[in-house]
Amino acid sequence: MLGTVVNAVAIILGGLLGVLLRKGIPDHYKTTIMQGVGLSVLVIGLMGAFKTGNILVVIFSIVLGSIIGEKIKIATKLDEVGLWIEGKIGKGQGTVAKGFVTASLVYCVGAMAIVGSLESGLTGNHQTLYAKSLLDGISAVIFASTLGIGVAFSAAAVFIYQGLITITAGAVKYLLVESVIQEMSAIGGLLIVGIAFNILEIKRISVANMLPAVFLPIVYQVLQPVLQPLLLSISTVLQNIL
């Protein structure tokens, strides 16, 4: 858990520093900075999404993951946590919940969060999460300078999310072959694209409700002997249509 602890602390420190800098940054600078951050997040997401080796697994995972997420209302619950925090310390700023939800999603669904947590749990190697901590700490300064203190509270979501992956990695390590991790990372990248759309206000996408999709490649690995012939048939039909 050391890598996850360092990651959470880096986000808290970066978030607090960003809040301190917030008042000294004019509003038009904040707008331009957030647009720049949104574009950067978009590129990061695309780079991850293009690494997929099986687009059908990505599509089915996104569809089924969205159904699961909508059923258990992940987005609503995240918003409720953010609004609860805002009610306690927001002082009417109105951005605490947005900062918490946005930063939590950015820091949780990326490839480094998944791969780094798996490495920590399986091998005790925290180098990936250390690198992620540096990046998250820097980006937390930028996020918090525009979205406020809610960004610092996203450290709690990161700690729980990455901690659970780290703790459970040993139990499912026989399923975590390279292809599974590759598709998990690709789906995470695609969700980051959705977050970029939200930041840039292009289209509001319920990314939180798609989070279960990240873990469905593991299910696919278990059911592969049954699903593989079906996916091959669908792929053949699509190729004939196209």
Side-chain angles (χ1 to χ4, degrees):
M1 291 289 289
L2 180 60
T4 293
V5 170
V6 171
N7 199 170
V9 171
I11 292 170
I12 293 172
L13 295 177
L16 293 176
L17 180 57
V19 171
L20 292 175
L21 296 174
R22 188 179 189 187
K23 293 182 179 180
I25 302 177
D27 288 341
H28 61 281
Y29 279 92
K30 293 178 184 178
T31 300
T32 304
I33 289 171
M34 280 307 295
Q35 290 173 344
V37 170
L39 290 173
S40 300
V41 171
L42 178 61
V43 171
I44 292 170
L46 289 172
M47 289 173 63
F50 286 146
K51 292 180 179 178
T52 180
N54 192 333
I55 189 62
L56 289 178
V57 172
V58 173
I59 293 171
F60 277 100
S61 295
I62 290 290
V63 172
L64 293 178
S66 298
I67 293 172
I68 295 170
E70 286 290 342
K71 182 66 177 178
I72 61 181
K73 297 182 177 9
I74 297 175
T76 300
K77 291 173 181 175
L78 263 180
D79 287 336
E80 288 174 351
V81 173
L83 291 171
W84 179 82
I85 296 172
E86 187 167 313
K88 294 295 182 182
I89 53 91
K91 300 179 181 179
Q93 295 177 42
T95 60
V96 177
K98 182 179 179 180
F100 169 76
V101 174
T102 300
S104 295
L105 292 174
V106 169
Y107 297 146
C108 286
V109 303
M112 292 183 79
I114 299 168
V115 175
S117 298
L118 292 175
E119 286 180 350
S120 289
L122 295 174
T123 67
N125 180 1
H126 309 299
Q127 295 304 311
T128 300
L129 287 185
Y130 289 158
K132 180 177 182 290
S133 300
L134 179 61
L135 296 173
D136 289 356
I138 295 172
S139 62
V141 175
I142 301 171
F143 277 126
S145 68
T146 53
L147 296 176
I149 192 64
V151 173
F153 283 94
S154 69
V158 170
F159 180 81
I160 294 170
Y161 176 82
Q162 291 182 182
L164 286 174
I165 294 177
T166 298
I167 292 171
T168 58
V172 295
K173 63 180 179 180
Y174 69 98
L175 296 172
L176 297 173
V177 297
E178 184 177 351
S179 60
V180 171
I181 296 176
Q182 180 182 22
E183 299 311 321
M184 290 174 70
S185 299
I187 293 168
L190 190 57
L191 296 187
I192 288 178
V193 172
I195 296 169
F197 277 34
N198 292 341
I199 294 174
L200 295 169
E201 299 181 350
I202 297 174
K203 172 70 176 179
R204 188 68 190 171
I205 297 176
S206 186
V207 177
N209 283 343
M210 300 178 186
L211 278 176
V214 174
F215 303 99
L216 290 182
I218 298 176
V219 178
Y220 172 76
Q221 179 68 16
V222 175
L223 301 177
Q224 189 173 18
V226 176
L227 294 178
Q228 188 68 26
L230 176 62
L231 291 178
L232 287 174
S233 299
I234 294 173
S235 178
T236 301
V237 171
L238 290 175
Q239 288 176 359
N240 292 332
I241 294 175
L242 297 175

